[in-house]
Amino acid sequence: MTQILKRKALALVGNHAVAYAVKQAKPQVLAVFPITPQTTMLEKLAEYISSGELKAELVRIESEHSALATIYGAAVAGARVFTATASQGLLYMGEMIYWAGGQRVPMVAAVATRAIAEPWSIWDDHQDFMSKRDAIWIQIMAENVQEAYDLTLQAFRISEDERVIMPVMMGFDGFILTHTMERVEVLEDYEVDSFLPPRQFNLIDFSDPIGVGPIAQPDEYMRIRYEAMKAMERAKSVIEEIMREYEKISGRKQYGLVECYKCEDAKYAFVTMGAWSGDAKVAVDRLRDQGIEAGLLKIRVFRPFPREKIKEYLRSMKGVIVFDRAVSFGSGGILANEVKSSLYGLEVPVYSVVAGLGGKDVRPLHFQKVMEDLIEGRLEEERWLL
């Protein structure tokens, strides 16, 4: 506790908290194209570079596709790199997202989550972030502004770990976090330098340069994909290890792949990801006041998916309600389907709730009502909160 009280604390909106973490991570190359609700992050990074607080090259590009192509080349050449985007911008990056993932290039991208058109919307949901779940990127998501700061620093370290070497996407909810000011405890620069030293490896050998065509024969293609799958599974223990190290430095609890909130003795549980996990925690407390043994399992790392942790925490539940801000149309809530798959064979009833699309308001009361309906036998297998 003493260590926490001594921490430097700043009042930061989410975009500025991520920019502050990026400044401390000392990337050499940035390429970011403005898009709502991420734009103020780009503006803050430009201010840091203009003032000399961040010694980096901010490349002016004409699109998100070019942004990722720019940092892709810089990262292959050995630079620490960063970009950020949202919604249609992430889709426009799409081709290069898969190039970076397939070649396992270390980089960090912050995604200020936002609904995808059509219809046009500038408000929050997770459809953009979750659309890249098969792009061979590690995906982590923050609940609040403090986590957005913490996870950004951890993302650089995870991405550059030689046991993993993979791009990392850090998601945080558009407007709900990007434009909300919170008290944020930040590390000192020397602590970040210790946690995140300069990258020590290159993906190419400059002493013996060669040209390599990107095409793979069928046998090699299959092997490369298999190696990526093994690296993704290997990343689980690496992420846990790095988060434990960060916990020692920061003095703040870091929960690894998932966070269990009062779920150890719970009979019913919510599963969530992102900012509305805070609303779910309030609902859990209110339900417990009513005598209902409720808990929450928050997904902090979406890829690799923590199916072992889900089994560990949810295997004895009488009912699990998964809240989704993203849908696979024709299949259902994306997170709900992942949880059902993880619990296959355990006979745990899993219910899907689709809510909050395009920024539709969701409050603790909504979580409470759905749980009460489950206990009273009125909850459908899939419910949309319209």
Side-chain angles (χ1 to χ4, degrees):
M1 177 59 94
T2 302
Q3 190 176 6
I4 295 175
L5 294 175
K6 287 180 178 177
R7 280 273 163 232
K8 178 180 177 181
L10 303 173
L12 297 171
V13 296
N15 274 342
H16 291 177
V18 173
Y20 194 91
V22 171
K23 181 190 72 164
Q24 291 186 300
K26 299 178 179 174
Q28 287 96 17
V29 180
L30 313 174
V32 184
F33 193 80
I35 182 171
T36 303
Q38 156 267 73
T39 304
T40 57
M41 182 199 310
L42 167 61
E43 293 170 347
K44 180 56 70 175
L45 287 167
E47 287 178 20
Y48 286 143
I49 292 173
S50 177
S51 66
E53 294 178 74
L54 173 58
K55 300 185 187 307
E57 186 72 26
L58 178 57
V59 182
R60 297 177 182 178
I61 33 76
E62 83 291 353
S63 73
E64 287 87 352
H65 185 282
S66 296
L68 201 65
T70 298
I71 64 168
Y72 171 90
V76 169
R80 179 171 291 163
V81 302
F82 174 79
T83 191
T85 190
S87 185
Q88 311 302 126
L90 182 61
L91 301 189
Y92 199 18
M93 276 184 182
E95 183 194 16
M96 291 309 302
I97 287 279
Y98 286 85
W99 275 99
Q103 294 197 2
R104 294 173 54 192
V105 178
M107 61 175 63
V108 173
V111 174
T113 59
R114 172 184 146 184
I116 290 174
E118 174 69 11
W120 192 251
S121 171
I122 63 168
W123 292 284
D124 177 47
D125 67 33
H126 297 166
Q127 201 75 38
D128 53 356
F129 180 81
M130 296 177 86
S131 74
K132 296 294 169 282
R133 60 191 181 278
D134 300 323
I136 317 180
W137 282 60
I138 290 170
Q139 292 180 287
I140 54 182
M141 184 166 278
E143 175 190 339
N144 49 46
V145 175
Q146 180 71 65
E147 269 200 345
Y149 168 83
D150 292 336
L151 291 179
T152 299
L153 288 174
Q154 293 168 29
F156 281 102
R157 176 72 181 275
I158 294 165
S159 179
E160 296 176 8
D161 191 291
E162 294 190 45
R163 294 166 292 179
V164 177
I165 306 182
M166 199 171 284
V168 178
M169 191 177 292
M170 195 288 293
F172 64 131
D173 289 73
F175 289 113
I176 297 172
L177 297 185
T178 58
H179 289 64
T180 297
M181 184 170 288
E182 293 180 13
R183 178 183 182 276
V184 179
E185 294 177 356
V186 298
L187 301 184
E188 299 294 340
D189 287 348
Y190 74 88
E191 293 174 312
V192 176
D193 290 344
S194 173
F195 175 73
L196 190 60
R199 207 177 107 183
Q200 298 296 322
F201 62 91
N202 285 319
L203 300 179
I204 54 178
D205 183 355
F206 288 99
S207 64
D208 186 20
I210 58 172
V212 179
I215 191 167
Q217 296 298 322
D219 286 349
E220 285 302 297
Y221 187 94
M222 187 78 183
R223 185 186 61 77
I224 290 168
R225 286 314 207 222
Y226 178 65
E227 291 297 330
M229 189 66 178
K230 287 203 300 183
M232 193 64 87
E233 288 300 317
R234 198 161 55 241
K236 292 178 181 176
S237 60
V238 175
I239 292 168
E240 297 266 10
E241 176 187 310
I242 288 172
M243 290 184 177
R244 284 195 296 272
E245 182 181 342
Y246 189 89
E247 180 176 307
K248 290 180 183 175
I249 297 171
S250 66
R252 288 187 299 280
K253 179 67 178 175
Q254 302 293 308
Y255 290 95
L257 303 174
V258 300
E259 177 185 345
C260 165
Y261 181 75
K262 299 184 178 179
C263 65
E264 294 93 342
D265 63 342
K267 293 181 179 176
Y268 302 92
F270 298 111
V271 177
T272 60
M273 186 169 72
W276 62 4
S277 302
D279 298 287
K281 289 175 180 175
V282 173
V284 165
D285 291 343
R286 291 177 180 175
L287 288 163
R288 290 216 164 219
D289 288 343
Q290 298 172 25
I292 298 171
E293 293 163 299
L296 165 71
L297 191 68
K298 184 182 83 177
I299 307 298
R300 300 180 85 227
V301 178
F302 181 60
R303 284 290 182 276
F305 195 68
R307 55 184 180 275
E308 298 86 358
K309 293 290 183 182
I310 287 172
K311 276 186 182 177
E312 175 185 341
Y313 285 112
L314 302 182
R315 62 184 311 119
S316 302
M317 295 291 171
K318 290 185 175 180
V320 172
I321 304 172
V322 184
F323 270 67
D324 260 296
R325 278 192 194 271
V327 182
S328 177
F329 294 92
S331 180
I334 295 171
L335 190 57
N337 284 338
E338 301 266 2
V339 171
K340 287 177 182 175
S341 174
S342 299
L343 295 175
Y344 177 75
L346 294 179
E347 299 183 355
V348 177
V350 178
Y351 300 83
S352 170
V353 175
V354 177
L357 302 185
K360 186 169 174 59
D361 196 23
V362 178
R363 301 182 181 187
L365 187 62
H366 295 104
F367 285 91
Q368 284 177 253
K369 178 67 169 59
V370 170
M371 182 63 81
E372 289 165 357
D373 284 351
L374 166 63
I375 291 170
E376 294 171 9
R378 297 198 302 263
L379 184 61
E380 314 88 336
E381 185 177 352
E382 178 178 291
R383 176 180 290 186
W384 285 55
L385 299 189
L386 300 174

